[in-house]
Amino acid sequence: MKEKFMRIFSPISLTVIAILDIAVLSYGIFAIKKLIQYPHPRVIFFAAAEVFALIIAVVVTREELTHGVKFYDDEFEFTAIDNDNIFSYEDVLQVETKKDTAPSLVKNFIDRSSQVILTLKDGRTVSLDIGLTTKNCVERIAAEIRERTGLPNKEPQESTEKSEQEENKNSSEENNV
């Protein structure tokens, strides 16, 4: 199969990074104008700080855009994870996804993160947290892994508190009858 790279975008992270990049560029233009108008040591210091901020903005943006999954002929790699991030297609028995989509005002962002759960032949279960991505992104990654491993495609699994509460309620009603 052909090598493929699927980016993992977090809409929240991309929005924040875009706003910060715009702010850094705007301040850079302002700093250059002031440096041309009034070359004072303080202005030179702020222009140097702007160069440093611009370098950081480029590195952070580049890092965010390189997160994803690389699919090779015999293995796949999650690039946002530092270690134990390469898995062979032959070792994967099952692929599941979890994405909490239940509405709630009390959950933190960490409770909304997406997960790809791999069950491997050696009995290990590996849970890969891929951040605050969209449900579509998680399902595309899982579908690609299933396709390359030869596993059947399954319907998406949503983790919602409401459905869990309904299941608990139904089972308690059955016990009472």
Side-chain angles (χ1 to χ4, degrees):
M1 285 191 162
K2 185 178 154 186
E3 288 187 12
K4 186 176 183 180
F5 180 68
M6 295 178 77
R7 285 185 179 15
I8 299 174
F9 289 128
S10 168
I12 294 170
S13 297
L14 284 178
T15 303
V16 169
I17 288 173
I19 290 170
L20 292 174
D21 286 348
I22 291 169
V24 166
L25 290 174
S26 300
Y27 184 73
I29 293 168
F30 175 75
I32 289 171
K33 284 182 181 179
K34 287 298 177 185
L35 188 61
I36 291 170
Q37 291 174 355
Y38 185 67
H40 190 269
R42 276 190 296 204
V43 177
I44 294 170
F45 172 75
F46 285 118
E50 171 58 27
V51 170
F52 183 68
L54 188 61
I55 291 169
I56 290 174
V58 168
V59 170
V60 168
T61 303
R62 186 181 141 268
E63 181 67 24
E64 181 67 23
L65 295 177
T66 59
H67 288 183
V69 183
K70 288 183 182 178
F71 294 98
Y72 301 107
D73 289 336
D74 57 344
E75 62 189 13
F76 58 99
E77 173 185 6
F78 285 86
T79 60
I81 303 171
D82 292 335
N83 55 4
D84 297 330
N85 61 343
I86 299 175
F87 302 95
S88 175
Y89 297 126
E90 297 170 352
D91 294 339
V92 178
L93 290 177
Q94 184 179 7
V95 180
E96 297 177 39
T97 61
K98 289 195 178 179
K99 171 76 175 148
D100 188 359
T101 58
S104 175
L105 296 174
V106 295
K107 290 184 181 176
N108 293 327
F109 281 122
I110 194 68
D111 298 328
R112 299 289 185 188
S113 66
S114 304
Q115 294 180 342
V116 175
I117 301 166
L118 304 173
T119 303
L120 305 177
K121 283 185 179 177
D122 62 1
R124 290 185 305 147
T125 301
V126 180
S127 178
L128 301 164
D129 186 358
I130 58 173
L132 298 170
T133 62
T134 62
K135 183 177 165 184
N136 185 26
C137 178
V138 176
E139 287 305 319
R140 283 187 301 131
I141 290 169
E144 185 71 24
I145 294 171
R146 287 184 192 114
E147 178 185 326
R148 290 179 179 249
T149 57
L151 296 173
N153 247 342
K154 292 176 24 175
E155 289 298 314
Q157 179 182 16
E158 292 184 17
S159 172
T160 60
E161 287 183 17
K162 187 175 183 180
S163 62
E164 290 172 6
Q165 290 173 353
E166 288 176 3
E167 288 175 12
N168 291 338
K169 183 180 177 182
N170 291 340
S171 64
S172 65
E173 288 176 0
E174 290 173 2
N175 291 338
N176 291 337
V177 174

